[in-house]
Amino acid sequence: MTVNYGVIGTGMMGCEHIRNIVQIETASVVAIADPSERSLGWGQKACQGRFTPDEYTDYRDLLARDDIDAVVVASPNFTHIDVMRDVFGTSKHVLLEKPMCTTMADSIELRTMAEKHTGMVWIGLEYRYMSPIMSFLNELEDNVVGDIKMFFIREHRFPFLKKVDNWNRFNRNSGGTLVEKCCHFFDMMNLVVKSKPVRIFASGAQDVNHLDERYDGEVPDILDNAFVIVDYENGARACLDLCMFAEGGRNEQELVATGSGGKLEVTIPEGVMTKAGRDYGKFTTQKIAMDPRVNEVGLHHGASYLEHLDFIHCIEENLDPRVTVEDGLLSVAMGIAAQESIARGAPVQLEELL
Ligand SMILES: NC(=O)c1ccc[n+]([C@@H]2O[C@H](COP(=O)([O-])OP(=O)(O)OC[C@H]3O[C@@H](n4cnc5c(N)ncnc54)[C@H](O)[C@@H]3O)[C@@H](O)[C@H]2O)c1
């Protein structure tokens, strides 16, 4: 069986998806849709001559085709809800890029529509498919640190890249930095802690990046650094340290889980995992190799490739999605709660939003 894909939005991430699908024998890209002719050109180029998809400037013409099994939605965050309303008018499988939506109202509407959809709905929270993170999660499954009490994620990276029409410069388009970027990390926290997030306290600001930029006279309003603390129902706590003017550092991400029995750390992109029990100074380090199945490393350390392998597997075997609408909704809610906490200068209870 070949899975025929249509890709909606062929900017940076849509092309990343296409380059990954090109490397999968049992998949094909038969159509692409984007209002920008320039982006359609990028999409065609990303097919590297293996496919010559039909082009549409209106994604609804792509959705009208019966020969498309699955669509990838990689248009800007604020467009997801409208595109998904139309996707839900079909029975196609869908991989919707993160963040699922930019507001709670849209996320809840999307969840209601998804419950009735006959195709599979998968949210593109693909950091869980990075090889070092997969190894980290597998080790935790083996209970190497005992009961997890604390989970820490540091992302120190480069500023937001330029996007088509600069949509990511404003909270109203992206949902805000802690939704747009950090939904990945909130999802990771939920995977690691395996409990319900109940309360979020955050401090953050836009201190350095984009302050000298103007779009129709308007200064971007997106956060570039924050600390976020999440309290879980089971008493565990998680913390995110985000800095987007730290591209010179050694690693972009560092994850640390600590429990009653020890500590597990991993770094990305170095892929060094450090394991320790409670004996003073006794730790082991291990270099995590790229998963051998990865044919396309791409922009996310092979994660998009493995995400598509799993997406296709779930379609072929008629399985439930591995990354669900509920995962997507919770990760958005946590980002919104963190931003609300910064605005209020006080903790926010998740139940206020959910
Ligand atoms: N999973 C990840 O790690 C990851 C990484 C980057 C981006 N993303 C997500 O991918 C999505 C796209 O981001 P990007 O970086 O590719 O942005 P981009 O600006 O590079 O590309 C977006 C494309 O969508 C097109 N577009 C705008 N409105 C559209 C519509 N109504 N229908 C179809 N196409 C439309 C634009 O013309 C542009 O070509 C966003 O949701 C973003 O958050 C995810």
Side-chain angles (χ1 to χ4, degrees), residues 19 32 47 62 92 247 255 257 296-297 326 328 331 342:
R19 282 189 297 273
I32 54 179
C47 293
L62 180 154
K92 298 185 193 312
E247 56 272 51
L255 277 56
E296 167 75 22
V297 173
E326 205 56 43
S331 66
I342 293 170

Side-chain angles (χ1 to χ4, degrees), residues 159-175:
F160 278 119
L161 299 171
K162 288 248 176 200
K163 298 289 166 183
V164 175
D165 297 331
N166 304 301
W167 63 267
N168 67 346
R169 291 311 197 245
F170 295 97
N171 289 320
R172 61 177 176 271
N173 297 333
S174 73

Side-chain angles (χ1 to χ4, degrees), residues 8-14 33-36 39 42 59 73-77 79-80 83 97-99 124 126-127 162-165 167 180 184 300:
I8 297 176
T10 50
M12 194 208 84
M13 198 58 203
D34 198 298
S36 153
S39 299
W42 294 337
Y59 69 84
V73 178
S75 53
N77 304 352
T79 66
H80 290 181
V83 175
E97 261 309 336
K98 55 53 42 183
E126 35 118 41
Y127 276 38
K162 288 248 176 200
K163 298 289 166 183
V164 175
D165 297 331
W167 63 267
E180 144 67 13
H184 281 304
H300 297 92

Side-chain angles (χ1 to χ4, degrees), residues 169 204-211 219-225:
R169 291 311 197 245
Q206 181 187 9
D207 286 323
V208 176
N209 295 345
H210 318 302
L211 292 167
V219 184
D221 61 359
I222 44 177
L223 297 172
D224 58 20
N225 71 100

